[in-house]
Amino acid sequence: MAQQLVILSHDESQVFLQPAAYNREQHGLITLEDVYSLLSAYRVRDYYVSETQLADLLATLPDDVDNLNRSPVVIAERRDAKVSVRVDEDAMTAYATIVGGYGGDAINLAKLSKALSEASVTVGISQNHIDDLIERGKRLKAGETVSDAIAFGSPAENGKDAKLVALVQDCEQRVLRPRERGDGTVDMRDLGDVIMVQEGTPVLRKHPATKGKDGITIKGRVLKANAGKDRNFKAGKGTVISDSDPMVLLAERSGIPHLKDNSVEIDEALCLKSVTVATGHIVFDGSVVVNGDIAQGMRVKATGTVTVGGFIESARVEAGEDVVVANGIIGRKSDELNCHVIAKGKISSKFAQYANLDAVGDINLQLHALHCEIRSEANLHVVDPTKRKGTLNGGFVKVGGAVEVVNLGAAASTPTEVCAFENFERLRTQRTHLIKEQKSQLDTLQRVLGAAKKMAALPVSKRPKATVVKLKQAKSVLSKQLKRLRDAIEECDAQLTSQARSSTVTAMNRVYSGVQCTVAGEALNIIEEHGPSKVRFNGKSAEMQPI
């Protein structure tokens, strides 16, 4: 093939095919292989060639009568390696992609830096990643690609919420975990030493919320961190904030510590081996600790917590705070229940049977609740720590929140009535009253605005100053009252929504026939056995769903 058919540009950046130099007799049919042979002869075999376009061009040569009038056509060209930078949508990571060149220059630091600048990447550039990528790019064959992340933003690190850490053991948990013997067995009646603290003992420490650390995108936009939420921390009954460390709560007197949501209270304590006819009934201003049992017919009343290491047997116990029972609460089967446990806090026990339980807080039983009357403004849990045991069978349950058990009812279809989300009617009535009051206040405001409008239409000289001031004050008061009502209605709606979602009757293993579940006043009779199920209020009725 004549050399003049294919020529190399002066700067050797392009290769041209000259159709005007083509001679059919001399050159014959030219193929792609022929062209590549020429490129090899010119030592530009690794230049970029569009084979499709070249094939189309070669196909026209034998029959193209206008070849003599055609200009030279580029069939190959030297191309430098290319680099592109892609930025994630959140502008937190930039990726560079290198495409191997065709006989041209490899990518260097300057070219990659320029690509980063064009992509507006200015922060978080990793020189180590860039150096590694450039080295890998030098080893690429023509058209091969390599990609890697080379710039990284820093996400905002939100502050940590304030945390309150108890420095003394929780009395309830201590009672529900009796002392272990040397052989590994547990003496259910041995509570160990009563948890007592002396005056000046640190009982609670607050770890303050942290501010967090701002982040930044690879384009330099600052990502503001959210500060951690603070938590209320205050001295409770019998405690005081330390003068030397305002983050520490100290016992102001000796007694039994009771952990609260944001504080600790120290109760004076009366400690007894048992409560029987020998001790008589107990009425005490403080907490009462009974290492043994409270016997049949006895009464214990305390303004603090009542802690029982044994059983409550057909007795009456009233506590101004919690009632914690290590073993069980036992009544006798009769026309009326003769065992009553009443708490303004929580009630916790291993089990309860034929007993009346009434609490403001949660009621927590681990093994079973048999034929009891149970009332709580909060929730009822009948489940052990393993979530394998916990049966609610017979009796009547009425709680403001949710009921959670392992087994609900019994195979014998024992009548069992469970009412959850009793707060629904109270909240709905409260909302109705709020809306009614809101309408009344709006009507009053409209009358005030109407009077103010008429007053404004009068000449200034004829506007009584006292009336103008009175109308202005009335408008201000009504506006504040309406805002308060709007906030109260929104809060009521939020409670209704959240409690409707969380106030359910849940049986983690089995629901038996004979159970009636009422949620938000809507009843559902269970007439056949079910597996793990949840009864919830769907806004109109109570419905059962498998879980």
Side-chain angles (χ1 to χ4, degrees):
M1 182 185 299
Q3 292 292 327
Q4 67 269 23
L5 182 60
V6 174
I7 60 174
L8 189 62
S9 66
H10 292 299
D11 61 0
E12 298 185 351
S13 64
Q14 293 180 313
V15 180
F16 296 90
L17 186 146
Q18 300 188 99
Y22 174 72
N23 185 290
R24 181 181 298 181
E25 292 181 1
Q26 180 184 359
H27 299 125
L29 181 64
I30 300 175
T31 64
L32 287 174
E33 289 73 17
D34 295 331
V35 175
Y36 281 125
S37 295
L38 276 176
L39 295 178
S40 297
Y42 281 118
R43 297 183 180 180
V44 292
R45 179 63 181 83
D46 56 350
Y47 278 24
Y48 175 77
V49 177
S50 174
E51 292 189 352
T52 302
Q53 293 179 358
L54 180 57
D56 291 343
L57 174 61
L58 296 177
T60 66
L61 286 179
D63 302 319
D64 191 346
V65 296
D66 296 326
N67 278 341
L68 293 175
N69 300 319
R70 292 181 63 183
S71 301
V73 180
V74 177
I75 61 170
E77 62 181 355
R78 181 176 63 202
R79 291 186 177 181
D80 294 340
K82 293 182 179 180
V83 61
S84 60
V85 173
R86 177 177 63 85
V87 177
D88 274 354
E89 289 184 7
D90 59 4
M92 294 300 287
T93 310
Y95 300 88
T97 299
I98 296 177
V99 181
Y102 294 81
D105 296 334
I107 293 299
N108 55 28
L109 178 59
K111 291 180 179 180
L112 188 47
S113 297
K114 181 181 178 182
L116 285 168
S117 178
E118 290 173 348
S120 301
V121 177
T122 58
V123 177
I125 299 170
S126 170
Q127 192 61 49
N128 289 336
H129 283 75
I130 286 177
D131 292 343
D132 178 67
L133 184 61
I134 289 175
E135 285 301 315
R136 290 158 63 191
K138 290 177 180 178
R139 298 191 292 271
L140 292 175
K141 295 180 181 179
E144 287 185 340
T145 63
V146 63
S147 297
D148 202 353
I150 58 171
F152 309 89
S154 300
E157 297 178 13
N158 291 332
K160 295 181 180 179
D161 294 344
K163 189 165 92 172
L164 304 182
V165 178
L167 303 178
V168 292
Q169 192 175 15
D170 180 67
C171 182
E172 177 183 348
Q173 294 304 316
R174 176 67 189 90
V175 170
L176 296 178
R177 285 197 300 269
R179 177 173 290 181
E180 187 174 325
R181 300 188 182 99
D183 60 2
T185 60
V186 174
D187 185 350
M188 298 303 296
R189 287 183 176 270
D190 185 1
L191 299 181
D193 297 331
V194 175
I195 299 172
M196 297 282 292
V197 296
Q198 301 300 316
E199 180 181 350
T201 302
V203 293
L204 188 70
R205 174 177 289 280
K206 176 179 178 178
H207 295 274
T210 59
K211 292 182 179 180
K213 181 180 179 182
D214 290 344
I216 190 168
T217 70
I218 56 178
K219 293 187 176 184
R221 183 170 66 88
V222 175
L223 304 174
K224 287 294 184 181
N226 295 323
K229 295 180 181 178
D230 195 13
R231 187 172 178 185
N232 190 22
F233 170 73
K234 64 179 183 179
K237 181 177 64 176
T239 58
V240 63
I241 295 176
S242 170
D243 291 334
S244 60
D245 187 346
M247 294 293 106
V248 173
L249 205 60
L250 304 176
E252 195 175 26
R253 64 191 181 196
S254 299
I256 295 179
H258 299 287
L259 305 184
K260 303 299 178 181
D261 286 339
N262 59 355
S263 186
V264 175
E265 294 183 353
I266 307 297
D267 271 346
E268 293 181 320
L270 173 64
C271 298
L272 304 165
K273 290 184 178 180
S274 61
V275 177
T276 65
V277 291
T279 62
H281 302 311
I282 303 298
V283 178
F284 186 72
D285 184 8
S287 292
V288 173
V289 177
V290 181
N291 283 319
D293 301 332
I294 298 178
Q296 181 176 351
M298 302 310 297
R299 295 195 302 272
V300 175
K301 186 174 183 178
T303 59
T305 294
V306 176
T307 303
V308 182
F311 295 89
I312 296 176
E313 300 183 35
S314 299
R316 183 180 183 89
V317 176
E318 298 180 51
E321 295 183 7
D322 300 340
V323 174
V324 183
V325 185
N327 287 339
I329 301 169
I330 305 172
R332 296 288 179 264
K333 186 176 181 180
S334 61
D335 293 338
E336 292 186 4
L337 299 177
N338 62 358
C339 187
H340 302 271
V341 177
I342 303 164
K344 291 184 179 179
K346 297 182 294 183
I347 296 176
S348 301
S349 178
K350 283 287 193 303
F351 65 86
Q353 57 191 46
Y354 295 104
N356 184 312
L357 309 181
D358 194 332
V360 173
D362 285 359
I363 297 178
N364 301 301
L365 306 172
Q366 294 188 8
L367 300 180
H368 60 249
L370 304 180
H371 306 286
C372 294
E373 290 187 5
I374 299 174
R375 292 173 177 81
S376 168
E377 293 182 20
N379 309 295
L380 168 66
H381 303 277
V382 187
V383 55
D384 75 340
T386 68
K387 296 189 176 182
R388 296 178 181 176
K389 297 179 181 179
T391 297
L392 172 62
N393 180 30
F396 173 82
V397 172
K398 185 175 182 179
V399 300
V403 174
E404 180 188 42
V405 303
V406 176
N407 296 302
L408 182 55
S413 300
T414 306
T416 306
E417 187 174 350
V418 179
C419 301
F421 197 8
E422 284 296 307
N423 291 338
F424 177 77
E425 283 301 329
R426 177 184 63 79
L427 288 170
R428 188 164 65 173
T429 301
Q430 179 182 342
R431 186 179 187 278
T432 300
H433 289 160
L434 288 170
I435 290 176
K436 185 177 180 181
E437 184 180 354
Q438 183 187 47
K439 184 179 182 304
S440 175
Q441 296 287 3
L442 280 170
D443 291 342
T444 303
L445 179 60
Q446 289 300 320
R447 289 194 297 271
V448 170
L449 292 175
K453 185 176 180 181
K454 290 179 180 178
M455 186 66 63
L458 296 174
V460 176
S461 60
K462 293 186 178 182
R463 299 175 191 173
K465 290 184 178 179
T467 304
V468 171
V469 171
K470 186 176 180 181
L471 288 172
K472 187 176 181 180
Q473 291 175 342
K475 180 181 176 182
S476 176
V477 170
L478 287 167
S479 296
K480 290 179 181 178
Q481 289 177 343
L482 284 168
K483 184 182 183 305
R484 176 185 60 80
L485 289 168
R486 281 195 303 271
D487 292 345
I489 292 170
E490 287 178 3
E491 175 64 23
C492 198
D493 287 340
Q495 287 189 44
L496 281 166
T497 300
S498 63
Q499 289 200 30
R501 192 164 46 243
S502 62
S503 298
T504 59
V505 178
T506 302
M508 291 179 278
N509 180 56
R510 190 71 56 189
V511 180
Y512 294 95
S513 62
V515 174
Q516 182 187 75
C517 290
T518 302
V519 183
E522 298 294 328
L524 178 68
N525 292 312
I526 312 300
I527 59 175
E528 58 183 13
E529 187 175 325
H530 295 268
S533 303
K534 178 180 291 186
V535 180
R536 59 181 289 271
F537 178 61
N538 63 15
K540 294 182 180 179
S541 61
E543 64 177 8
M544 175 177 283
Q545 297 175 337
I547 56 174

